[in-house]
């Protein structure tokens, strides 16, 4: 049984997709969800999926609560699926190459602090990019600068809105994120 900690700050659609993917997989996984927001919809998804979940606020994170909790959970893999806080350096040091993140662009483009979700898609459209995609990468002590594990691309049409781009990127996330996690768990 593989132990996976999923961290999300928002709706948790990627977290749900990952959990559903592993329900009928040869790799059996136990999941635990952590969010930094008390009103994050990922908590509702966790209830629906019968997955344990908890809130560890930014203040608690800054006080070392997240670090202690993750050490207790002793995960095989830590997956950031829309987690918007800078990940604590002590956790990165404790779990080297066991923390991954997904970013809704082809890094190194459109990465860094403040570049998440719709902000990324709006920037892609504003800059008339002809392609975008996803990057799955190891987490480092700096936003979106860890070693790249996987990238997938999608075309951006001249008439695409930021919402159109977001929909294309979500399809890539749902298709590839669980598969990359599966490959990492097999190593």
């Amino acid at each position: 049984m593989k132990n996976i900690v999923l961290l999300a700050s928002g709706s948790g659609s990627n977290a749900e997709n990952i959990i559903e993917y592993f329900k009928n997989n040869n790799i059996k996984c136990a999941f635990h969800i952590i969010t930094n927001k008390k009103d994050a919809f990922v908590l509702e998804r966790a209830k629906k999926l019968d997955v344990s979940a908890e809130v560890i606020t930014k203040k608690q994170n800054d006080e070392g609560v997240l670090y202690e909790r993750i050490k207790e959970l002793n995960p095989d893999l830590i997956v950031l699926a829309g987690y918007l806080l800078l990940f604590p350096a002590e956790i990165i040091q404790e779990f080297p190459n066991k923390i991954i993140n997904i970013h809704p662009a082809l890094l190194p483009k459109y990465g860094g602090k403040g570049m998440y979700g719709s902000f990324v898609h709006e920037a892609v459209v504003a800059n008339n990019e002809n392609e975008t995609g996803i990057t799955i990468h190891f987490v480092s002590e700096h936003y979106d600068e860890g070693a790249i594990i996987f990238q997938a691309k999608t075309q951006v049409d001249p008439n695409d809105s930021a919402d159109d781009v977001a929909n294309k990127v979500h399809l890539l996330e749902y298709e590839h994120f669980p598969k990359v996690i599966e490959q990492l768990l097999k190593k």
Side-chain angles (χ1 to χ4, degrees):
M1 176 80 68
K2 298 290 185 176
N3 186 15
I4 299 176
V5 174
L6 294 164
L7 289 98
S9 295
S11 79
S13 62
N14 267 312
E16 180 175 6
N17 184 56
I18 291 163
I19 292 165
E20 291 289 350
Y21 180 87
F22 281 96
K23 278 188 175 176
N24 297 310
N25 191 292
N26 290 335
I27 301 173
K28 299 302 173 204
C29 297
F31 291 96
H32 183 76
I33 293 174
I34 297 174
T35 183
N36 58 302
K37 296 185 176 185
K38 294 176 180 157
D39 61 347
F41 192 72
V42 71
L43 294 169
E44 294 303 316
R45 291 183 195 270
K47 284 180 194 171
K48 180 183 99 173
L49 295 164
D50 197 26
V51 170
S52 63
E54 66 186 291
V55 177
I56 297 177
T57 65
K58 181 180 183 329
K59 181 178 184 290
Q60 291 173 310
N61 183 346
D62 294 344
E63 295 168 349
V65 174
L66 180 62
Y67 173 65
E68 292 302 324
R69 184 64 177 127
I70 287 181
K71 278 186 11 184
E72 287 172 16
L73 293 167
N74 193 28
D76 294 290
L77 194 63
I78 300 166
V79 178
L80 309 188
Y83 188 70
L84 301 181
L85 298 180
L86 186 62
F87 212 65
E90 60 268 20
I91 301 174
I92 295 166
Q93 292 163 5
E94 184 86 18
F95 295 94
N97 296 321
K98 288 191 174 185
I99 308 167
I100 64 170
N101 183 38
I102 191 164
H103 186 74
L106 298 170
L107 292 174
K109 287 185 172 185
Y110 307 108
K113 186 171 180 152
M115 291 305 290
Y116 61 90
S118 63
F119 298 114
V120 172
H121 309 309
E122 289 165 7
V124 165
V125 169
N127 288 308
N128 298 310
E129 296 285 353
N130 60 12
E131 68 179 8
T132 189
I134 61 167
T135 302
I136 300 169
H137 63 93
F138 287 110
V139 173
S140 72
E141 295 177 16
H142 304 282
Y143 284 112
D144 303 322
E145 292 184 13
I148 293 172
I149 302 165
F150 176 86
Q151 289 185 311
K153 297 176 182 180
T154 188
Q155 184 175 342
V156 178
D157 297 320
N159 60 341
D160 277 349
S161 68
D163 286 340
D164 294 330
V165 172
N167 289 334
K168 290 178 179 184
V169 168
H170 285 306
L171 291 175
L172 291 177
E173 290 173 345
Y174 300 153
E175 178 184 354
H176 295 289
F177 205 11
K179 292 175 184 175
V180 170
I181 291 167
E182 180 179 30
Q183 290 170 358
L184 291 171
L185 291 173
K186 287 180 177 178
K187 289 185 177 181

